[in-house]
Structure formats: structure tokens, C-alpha cells
Amino acid sequence: MPDLIVPLYKLAAEAPREDGVVIRRAITPEMHVVCDFATQHFGRNWASECAVAFAAQPAGVLIAVEDGALLGFACYDATAKGFFGPTGVAEAARGRGVGAGLLMATLHAMRHAGYAYAVIGAAGPVDFYKRQCGAIEIPGSDPGIYEGMLR
Ligand SMILES: CC(C)(COP(=O)(O)OP(=O)(O)OC[C@H]1O[C@@H](n2cnc3c(N)ncnc32)[C@H](O)[C@@H]1OP(=O)(O)O)[C@@H](O)C(=O)NCCC(=O)NCCS
């Protein structure tokens, strides 16, 4: 899976939501909720990345919440500076624009933090990123920073 690069200086505006899903930055007391969610839905490697993103102040973690329930999350600066991810949406909540909303909110947060580009590390759904935010594949980036990673 290659890394992708996203130019943040020409990022599209975030689309307003009218479906009751709130996408916002997480706060420290929510760390265990998000890490447990990441473990349950995606595995402990992603929970580790979430924990590191929570160590920043403000947390480098955006979450999607509906009626008090966590639907998904996205991180930045977790495994490397300037990296977007991991991100994940609970299977039952997919296909409702939650993943796209988390992506755009997080990329805007990175832009505000001073980055000109975001790197999407080991991108799984490459077409999703190409379509949502104009991501471009980085030649020679697979396996990149994750080579030999322990699981
Ligand atoms: C990838 C993921 C975050 C997308 O979340 P989602 O909430 O289902 O996505 P959205 O509903 O916001 O999708 C927005 C658009 O992208 C498309 N899309 C969603 N997943 C896609 C995929 N895997 N590949 C290509 N297009 C995709 C949708 O069809 C939708 O298109 P539309 O605007 O034409 O209707 C989610 O599928 C997920 O958690 N996957 C498992 C974890 C993962 O792979 N994370 C990324 C690691 S780099």
C-alpha cells in the first residue's frame, strides 16, 4: 500500500452536515473510548497510534459522534509528523459520508497547524482519498515507514 500526498493549500471547504452527526476534535478524557473503539474495530496497532495522537495538546484526533455514540475517528501526527491516519468508521455507519467528513476535518486541522502537505501513510482505499481530497500516490513509498513493523 503506497503513501499518498495531499496538497493542503488548495483543500476544498468542509461540507456542512445536516444529519445530526457531529465531527469535532476529541479531548483527553475521551482517549480510552477512542482507543477501545480502535482496538475493537481495527486492532491494537491503530489503538497505539490513537494514544500517541492523544498525547498532543490539543489532541490530534477528530471524532464523529451521533447521539452520544462514537461512529469513527481520524488522527494526525501519530506515526510520523505530517501523517494523516489512522482513520476508521464502524462498519454499521459506513456509506453516510462520515469517513469523508472526518478526512476533511482532519486535513483542515493539519492545515491550521501549519502543514502545507499531508501524507496518508499506507493508504488502503486509494481511490477514496484521490476523490475526496486530490491525493497523489508517492512513487516508491510502499512499504515506506512501516517496513518490518511488529504486529
Ligand atoms: C475508508 C472509510 C474510512 C470510509 O468511510 P465511510 O464513512 O464509509 O466513507 P464515506 O461514506 O464518507 O464515503 C464517501 C465517498 O467515498 C466512497 N468510498 C467509501 N469507501 C471507499 C473505498 N474503500 N474506496 C473507494 N471509494 C470509497 C463512497 O462510496 C462515497 O462516494 P460518494 O460520495 O460517491 O457516495 C471506511 O470504509 C473504513 O473505516 N474502512 C476501514 C478502515 C480503513 O481502510 N481506513 C483507511 C486506512 S488508510
Side-chain angles (χ1 to χ4, degrees):
M1 294 192 289
D3 294 341
L4 312 179
I5 193 158
V6 183
L8 298 178
Y9 45 81
K10 54 184 181 186
L11 202 56
E14 286 180 72
R17 300 196 75 90
E18 288 159 11
D19 60 355
V21 175
V22 175
I23 294 182
R24 62 165 172 83
R25 194 182 288 271
I27 59 171
T28 313
E30 296 170 323
M31 180 171 120
H32 67 287
V33 179
V34 178
C35 289
D36 287 353
F37 177 95
T39 301
Q40 187 191 337
H41 292 272
F42 304 104
R44 294 178 70 191
N45 287 106
W46 283 24
S48 297
E49 291 179 297
C50 287
V52 167
F54 263 106
Q57 188 58 269
V61 183
L62 284 285
I63 54 175
V65 179
E66 184 180 46
D67 297 331
L70 182 60
L71 303 183
F73 69 95
C75 302
Y76 66 92
D77 284 355
T79 290
K81 287 185 179 176
F83 266 44
F84 167 90
T87 185
V89 173
E91 240 176 274
R94 290 183 195 166
R96 297 173 48 195
V98 174
L102 282 165
L103 172 68
M104 294 307 290
T106 306
L107 293 177
H108 277 280
M110 294 181 74
R111 176 75 178 119
H112 290 141
Y115 292 109
Y117 294 90
V119 173
I120 300 172
V126 169
D127 289 341
F128 169 74
Y129 291 116
K130 284 184 176 171
R131 276 191 50 207
Q132 295 301 322
C133 59
I136 301 156
E137 280 188 50
I138 301 174
S141 61
D142 184 5
I145 197 173
Y146 305 95
E147 186 166 18
M149 186 184 86
L150 301 177
R151 292 175 188 278

